[in-house]
Amino acid sequence: MQVSNVNDVKIYNLSYGRSLPEWLSDRKKRRLQKNDVDIRRRIELIQDFEMPTVSTTIKVSRDGQYIIATGTYKPRIRCYDTYQLSMKFERCLDSEVITFEVLSDDYSKIVFLQCDRYVEFHSQHGHYYRTRIPKFGRDFSHHYPSCDLYFVGASSEVYRLNLEQGRFLNSLQTDASQNNVCDINPAHYLFATGSTEGKVECWDPRTRNRVGMLDCALSSVTTDAEIDGLPSISALKFKGALHMAVGTSTGQVLLYDLRSSRPLIVKDHYYGLPIKSIEFQEQLDLVISADSRIVKMWNQNTGKIFTSVETQHEINDLCLYPNSGMFFLANESPKMNTFYVPTLGPAPRWCSFLDNLTEELEENPETTVYDDYKFVTKKDLENLGLAHLIGSPLLRAYMHGFFMDIRLYHKVKAMANPFAYEEYRKDKIRQKIEETRAQRVQVMKLPKVNKELAMKFIEEEEAEEQVQKKKGKSLPNILRDERFKVMFENPDFQVDEASEEFRLINPIVSKASEKRKKKLKQLQEHRETEQEEEELEGKPSDAESSESSDDDRAWVEEVQKQHKLLRREQKLKLMECDQQTHSKPKFFEIKAGEEFKNFKDAARKQKLLKTTLEDRLKHEEKTGTLHLSDTTVGSKQLTFTLKKSEQQKKRQEAEKQHHEERRRLRRSAGHLRGKAVKGKPFF
């Protein structure tokens, strides 16, 4: 609960604080209430008193037991039972509700005006009937004696729907192009409608004739008010038989006596916002008017402000609970605000505990240790010469220092430092001198990182300033831009001019800067004399084309030079790498199962592989591995012996040993078998 004191009037915001989500379990809610002080101290007057997104309108039934509110999204209506302090039911609708009216004492008969021209009737069990009006509606009122509904909207006609006969009656023709609001006097049932032209027309429902007209647009204009257009009527409310309050779209509230065409009081909200709702508080003769930003309460006789309430979100509707000091606000937020002002009246019967709670808060006001006190440390006390006061009632210990009376602090400081005013005066003089120095010509200061790039930006900016001044445009400065500040402070962003990318792009950048300088020179010459301007304008196109072609050739030559230099550097790097590899010794790996003899055999084999087939045959014939002979037929016969590798030789020797062992075993087995046949035992 938040307490505010505006104009010496206590206002209690009962909906202040965070709301807990519905999907939380009771155990988690209790845990949050134990840990969070704000949740523990909040007052949930009515359970789930909120909408999913936005609440548009809110009203109280005649018996005061039910609070009915509409909102989005999705479009819905919620009814709250004050006796149970919880939501009674919720119904979803097809479209958003502009306004609604409770026809019965409770929630059993409700009429909704929707944004798609439909009028929907609800009974106690739910949806009952739905019909449509010819034009888009903006407001409607219920005429109790004839049981008629009067609809106003985007038309000059006022549509009448009789609920007893169940049909539309002849409409009322007004002089306005469109009507925004309407209301019916509860005493003599005079019907009034407010138009977009700022006029209020009053009709007698018995004769269906217009009985009067008020021009509120001219009456709302005061000497101090600044109005851009014609004010239209945005709110209308009757009080008793003779008084009527009119709210305009420019933020003025006009209080009329029906017997006079001039307003009794014109009250301006000074925000220029349309008045959304108007209510009357009869006990204190107050008018409560609300726009989308503030709720103001003022005296209807004098116009003096009583108090005001500002909210964080835009206000959509205001509803005053009858015969109490409580009112509700529907706003552009999920939570519907509930305010209680004890000065306006007592709390409603269903929440009478609020009176006891507010009385206790007024009797025991909370005082904070920071009011009229100055926090000082022990070092500050020593500088002021007040260290001897530690432990006395003049100092209140708190954390790492002390609180002392602010008046005592100012007196001691003035005595301890009598030249404080002189120091303050010198500081002011020094500041003024620095301001004048800033207007002088300053030496150009370059950053530590990317100095050449900063110089380039500064030169370009100075050159373009003269051109842009005449056009009235200002270009952004990269050096002063916070987004590029790190580029001139962090060494990691230093431009490497020796890199390949920079050297390839550099001709393009330099050429662009040269072209820019040429253009600036031409513009300067163009301004100096008219003759030079004529010469520049009369220059033949061939000269311009030749200049552009020369520029392109020079640019191509520069790019080619950079490419040649880069190729030379790459060749030099490759040569250095080859020299390093040749100077280092080579290592060879021998496969498993092979023996290393010498490097000469390997070199000899490499030479043989490079020779022709004829040379290799001759060499093998000399060594004896190949034999070539002629046959009788005339052909050649070639015989050769295959060279066996060391692994094959070892494998053959192992096979021979294996065969010999098997032969030996066969012989020994045959010898033993012969002995057994002769009759001798085997073992």
Side-chain angles (χ1 to χ4, degrees), residues 573-636:
K573 288 180 181 178
L574 289 172
M575 291 173 67
E576 290 177 359
C577 293
D578 292 338
Q579 290 177 1
Q580 291 178 1
T581 54
H582 287 306
S583 61
K584 293 181 181 179
K586 293 183 179 180
F587 297 94
F588 298 91
E589 185 178 357
I590 301 172
K591 294 182 180 180
E594 293 184 359
E595 292 183 1
F596 177 75
K597 295 180 179 180
N598 53 15
F599 287 104
K600 293 180 179 179
D601 295 338
R604 196 181 296 113
K605 288 180 181 179
Q606 292 293 331
K607 288 180 180 179
L608 286 172
L609 291 172
K610 291 180 180 179
T611 57
T612 60
L613 179 62
E614 185 181 359
D615 295 338
R616 276 184 280 170
L617 291 173
K618 288 179 181 179
H619 180 267
E620 290 180 357
E621 192 175 358
K622 288 179 182 179
T623 55
T625 57
L626 182 70
H627 179 67
L628 185 66
S629 61
D630 297 332
T631 60
T632 55
V633 184
S635 61
K636 296 282 186 179

Side-chain angles (χ1 to χ4, degrees), residues 76-347:
R76 66 191 64 206
I77 169 180
R78 287 183 175 179
C79 180
Y80 299 90
D81 191 349
T82 57
Y83 291 174
Q84 303 296 329
L85 298 179
S86 62
M87 185 169 62
K88 187 173 184 63
F89 64 84
E90 178 183 13
R91 299 172 187 170
C92 290
L93 306 173
D94 295 337
S95 57
E96 295 183 12
V97 176
I98 297 175
T99 184
F100 69 95
E101 188 77 27
V102 182
L103 303 182
S104 60
D105 293 339
D106 54 2
Y107 67 92
S108 58
K109 294 179 183 179
I110 309 175
V111 184
F112 298 97
L113 176 62
Q114 298 177 349
C115 62
D116 55 354
R117 293 194 293 156
Y118 275 101
V119 180
E120 195 166 320
F121 297 86
H122 281 229
S123 61
Q124 192 170 5
H125 61 82
H127 177 269
Y128 179 76
Y129 185 72
R130 195 181 188 198
T131 187
R132 202 172 189 182
I133 57 177
K135 299 289 185 179
F136 289 97
R138 296 176 182 174
D139 196 7
F140 75 97
S141 296
H142 177 232
H143 187 250
Y144 183 75
S146 62
C147 200
D148 290 344
L149 293 179
Y150 288 80
F151 295 95
V152 297
S155 174
S156 60
E157 296 180 349
V158 179
Y159 304 109
R160 295 191 302 149
L161 176 62
N162 187 269
L163 301 181
E164 185 179 2
Q165 300 177 18
R167 65 186 183 92
F168 282 97
L169 304 178
N170 294 332
S171 58
L172 305 179
Q173 185 66 41
T174 62
D175 294 340
S177 60
Q178 294 179 359
N179 295 299
N180 293 332
V181 291
C182 63
D183 193 20
I184 294 178
N185 193 299
H188 46 68
Y189 301 106
L190 181 70
F191 173 73
T193 175
S195 64
T196 55
E197 289 82 5
K199 295 181 180 180
V200 176
E201 297 185 14
C202 297
W203 294 73
D204 188 356
R206 297 171 296 181
T207 60
R208 296 187 295 278
N209 293 326
R210 189 175 64 193
V211 295
M213 180 184 290
L214 295 173
D215 192 352
C216 302
L218 296 176
S219 302
S220 63
V221 178
T222 58
T223 55
D224 300 333
E226 295 181 1
I227 299 173
D228 298 333
L230 185 67
S232 60
I233 307 301
S234 60
L236 196 62
K237 186 70 175 179
F238 280 104
K239 183 201 173 184
L242 298 176
H243 291 88
M244 179 180 66
V246 179
T248 64
S249 59
T250 53
Q252 290 87 21
V253 180
L254 294 82
L255 188 62
Y256 280 94
D257 190 327
L258 295 179
R259 296 168 293 184
S260 173
S261 60
R262 294 183 180 180
L264 300 175
I265 292 176
V266 179
K267 187 67 179 177
D268 197 344
H269 276 215
Y270 295 106
Y271 283 108
L273 300 172
I275 303 298
K276 294 292 185 74
S277 182
I278 301 174
E279 295 286 345
F280 288 96
Q281 213 280 340
E282 297 181 357
Q283 284 79 8
L284 299 177
D285 293 334
L286 296 178
V287 180
I288 305 174
S289 55
D291 57 15
S292 59
R293 187 170 180 179
I294 192 172
V295 177
K296 286 192 175 184
M297 305 179 190
W298 45 280
N299 191 286
Q300 66 179 8
N301 298 320
T302 60
K304 185 179 179 182
I305 283 288
F306 179 72
T307 187
S308 61
V309 178
E310 292 190 45
T311 59
Q312 296 179 353
H313 306 280
E314 292 185 3
I315 301 169
N316 291 328
D317 193 14
L318 166 69
C319 177
L320 181 66
Y321 196 90
N323 302 322
S324 71
M326 182 178 290
F327 61 92
F328 307 100
L329 294 179
N331 49 25
E332 293 287 328
S333 67
K335 187 179 289 186
M336 292 180 283
N337 292 334
T338 305
F339 291 91
Y340 175 53
V341 184
T343 313
L344 294 179

